[in-house]
């Protein structure tokens, strides 16, 4: 099937703004643009909205009436899936890879407001979460419902197609503004966003380097996942284009001590974006990508005067939850 024929439901406020940020540009010695996917709407915004447009489209095309997905207790993906379900008139079940957390803050508070059914797995185990989702789907089927399982992070060839479309949107904006982008830099977690962006760059034959800043996984693992998913996303969307492993660029130097744990540089990035441009990053994803941006420009790996696009993928609700609630189950 071709991208234009893939079922899609309008969920996001698109196009998102493409903004030049002069004060950060000057500070970093580059020409810096932001792509504001933190403003996609859908219960406070973020990158999952673009993936969910195709995932919910697929669910509806298959006659499903319930979305099931998984993530950590501060998962933006879970929150936006709950919002997408609400908007499309579907039920939603979320399987959290943690113990129950008594305090509802940040994303978890929004999940409850959005009317999702919350299930706590008790442990941080992705494989068990997958099994629990299948079990839940079976139970719901017996009750006469038609469940659709959305993979972790919405990262499948269907979901990642949202970021091929996003590259098309960006091309229209850069053409109109008469600018060219040499680098795209962004936070990379479950591989879908990077796979989709790279698929878009390849599909439209653009001279743009996509630099994924891992927020959790080691470089070798994430690069392999991005490569496989990029290849599958291209073929699923009907493109003959191929991608090579060398075109997948992942940095894992900015993860620090782990997912959701701030580093000195991620805190510096968060403060710098806020102070110089009034733009709020999130502590788990975009601040780690921001750390990468600062380091790569300061070291000249992204050369002076380069035209760089920082893709803001959202995540702000996590700022409003205590840091230990991000990743560690609470007894
Ligand atoms: C999920 C998420 C990402 C990473 O996207 P992937 O497609 O999982 O790599 C980046 N930023 C934010 C705010 C997210 O919620």
């Amino acid at each position: 099937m071709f991208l234009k024929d893939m079922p899609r439901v309008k969920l996001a406020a698109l196009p998102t703004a493409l903004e030049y940020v002069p004060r950060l540009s000057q500070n970093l010695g580059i020409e810096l643009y932001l792509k504001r996917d933190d403003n996609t709407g859908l219960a406070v915004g973020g990158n999952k909205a673009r993936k969910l447009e195709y995932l919910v489209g697929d669910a509806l095309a298959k006659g499903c009436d319930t979305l099931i997905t998984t993530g950590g207790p501060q998962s933006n993906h879970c929150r936006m899936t709950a919002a997408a379900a609400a908007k499309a008139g579907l039920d939603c079940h979320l399987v959290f890879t943690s113990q129950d957390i008594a305090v509802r803050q940040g994303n978890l508070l929004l999940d409850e407001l959005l009317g999702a059914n919350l299930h706590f797995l008790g442990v941080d185990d992705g494989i068990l979460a997958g099994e629990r989702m299948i079990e839940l789907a079976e139970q719901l089927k017996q009750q006469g419902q038609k469940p659709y399982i959305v993979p972790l992070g919405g990262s499948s060839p269907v979901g990642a197609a949202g970021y091929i479309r996003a590259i098309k949107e960006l091309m229209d904006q850069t053409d109109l503004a008469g600018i060219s982008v040499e680098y795209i830099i962004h936070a990379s977690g479950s591989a879908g966003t990077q796979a989709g962006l790279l698929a878009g760059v390849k599909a439209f034959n653009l001279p743009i380097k996509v630099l994924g800043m891992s927020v959790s996984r080691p470089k070798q693992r994430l690069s392999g996942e991005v490569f496989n998913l990029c290849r599958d996303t291209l073929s699923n969307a009907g493109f003959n284009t191929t991608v090579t492993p060398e075109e997948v660029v992942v940095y894992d130097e900015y993860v620090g001590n782990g997912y959701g744990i701030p580093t000195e540089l991620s805190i510096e990035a968060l403060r710098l974006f806020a102070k110089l441009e009034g733009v709020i990053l999130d502590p788990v994803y975009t601040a780690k990508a921001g750390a990468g941006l600062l380091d790569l420009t300061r070291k000249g790996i992204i050369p002076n005067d380069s035209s760089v696009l920082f893709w803001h993928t959202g995540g702000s609700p996590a700022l409003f939850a205590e840091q230990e609630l991000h990743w560690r189950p609470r007894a």
Side-chain angles (χ1 to χ4, degrees), residues 47-48 51 76-77 153 155 187-193 282 285-286 313-315:
N47 62 337
K48 303 309 181 303
K51 301 178 180 182
N76 299 301
H77 166 67
S155 290
S188 197
S190 64
T193 301
D282 82 290
Y285 292 92
T286 50
T313 48

Side-chain angles (χ1 to χ4, degrees), residues 30-113:
I30 55 174
E31 295 295 306
L32 184 64
Y33 300 86
L34 305 183
K35 183 66 173 153
R36 298 297 302 271
D37 276 15
D38 53 325
N39 292 336
T40 54
L42 206 59
V44 223
N47 62 337
K48 303 309 181 303
R50 292 187 190 269
K51 301 178 180 182
L52 284 161
E53 289 199 325
Y54 284 106
L55 290 160
V56 174
D58 190 37
L60 293 180
K62 291 180 169 144
C64 296
D65 58 15
T66 303
L67 301 182
I68 302 175
T69 200
T70 184
Q74 282 303 324
S75 162
N76 299 301
H77 166 67
C78 285
R79 180 247 313 164
M80 299 197 80
T81 302
K87 193 162 176 167
L90 308 173
D91 282 348
C92 183
H93 289 262
L94 303 174
V95 173
F96 293 112
T97 49
S98 73
Q99 293 173 25
D100 194 353
I101 289 170
V103 197
R104 299 286 195 253
Q105 289 181 343
N107 282 297
L108 202 52
L109 172 66
L110 301 179
D111 296 336
E112 206 163 77
L113 283 176

Side-chain angles (χ1 to χ4, degrees), residues 5 36 47-48 51 64-65 121 127 148 154 172 190 195 197 202 232 239 246 250 261 269 275 284 306 308 316 329:
D5 301 321
R36 298 297 302 271
N47 62 337
K48 303 309 181 303
K51 301 178 180 182
C64 296
D65 58 15
L121 193 62
I127 293 171
Y148 181 95
D172 292 344
S190 64
L197 288 171
K202 294 296 297 175
D232 296 348
F239 292 97
E246 295 70 43
V250 169
I261 306 172
K275 181 75 177 74
V284 182
S306 298
V308 181
S316 62

Side-chain angles (χ1 to χ4, degrees), residues 49-302:
R50 292 187 190 269
K51 301 178 180 182
L52 284 161
E53 289 199 325
Y54 284 106
L55 290 160
V56 174
D58 190 37
L60 293 180
K62 291 180 169 144
C64 296
D65 58 15
T66 303
L67 301 182
I68 302 175
T69 200
T70 184
Q74 282 303 324
S75 162
N76 299 301
H77 166 67
C78 285
R79 180 247 313 164
M80 299 197 80
T81 302
K87 193 162 176 167
L90 308 173
D91 282 348
C92 183
H93 289 262
L94 303 174
V95 173
F96 293 112
T97 49
S98 73
Q99 293 173 25
D100 194 353
I101 289 170
V103 197
R104 299 286 195 253
Q105 289 181 343
N107 282 297
L108 202 52
L109 172 66
L110 301 179
D111 296 336
E112 206 163 77
L113 283 176
L114 292 161
N117 301 282
L118 315 186
H119 307 265
F120 292 88
L121 193 62
V123 289
D124 183 1
D125 185 330
I127 293 171
L128 275 184
E131 290 169 4
R132 183 80 187 88
M133 288 198 291
I134 292 169
E135 210 177 276
L136 199 55
E138 287 307 321
Q139 285 168 5
L140 292 168
K141 274 185 208 162
Q142 275 163 23
Q143 294 163 22
Q145 292 193 259
K146 287 194 157 186
Y148 181 95
I149 296 178
V150 178
L152 177 78
S155 290
S156 64
V158 172
Y163 271 90
I164 299 185
R165 201 167 179 279
I167 287 289
K168 183 74 186 47
E169 178 182 302
L170 176 69
M171 279 168 71
D172 292 344
Q173 290 175 317
T174 52
D175 285 355
L176 194 68
I179 56 175
S180 62
V181 167
E182 295 165 273
Y183 297 90
I184 290 175
I185 179 165
H186 72 97
S188 197
S190 64
T193 301
Q194 188 168 2
L197 288 171
L198 185 56
V201 162
K202 294 296 297 175
F204 305 118
N205 198 20
L206 303 172
I208 301 177
K209 291 191 185 71
V210 176
L211 313 180
M213 303 296 123
S214 176
V215 298
S216 52
R217 296 176 186 174
K219 172 185 163 134
Q220 203 184 346
R221 174 179 168 195
L222 186 56
S223 319
E225 290 167 338
V226 170
F227 171 72
N228 287 333
L229 186 54
C230 182
R231 183 196 54 206
D232 296 348
T233 300
L234 280 166
S235 71
N236 186 61
F239 292 97
N240 291 324
T241 329
T242 52
V243 59
T244 64
E246 295 70 43
E247 287 167 312
V248 176
V249 183
V250 169
Y251 287 83
D252 64 2
E253 286 87 339
Y254 310 107
V255 175
N257 287 332
Y259 179 71
I261 306 172
T263 63
E264 223 169 274
L265 206 54
S266 77
I267 294 167
E268 185 186 348
L270 208 129
R271 291 190 182 283
L272 201 65
F273 270 70
K275 181 75 177 74
L276 290 185
E277 298 290 351
V279 171
I280 304 301
L281 301 180
D282 82 290
V284 182
Y285 292 92
T286 50
K288 293 276 174 82
L293 175 71
L294 300 193
D295 195 54
L296 295 175
T297 51
R298 285 170 187 172
K299 287 185 175 150
I301 296 171
I302 294 177

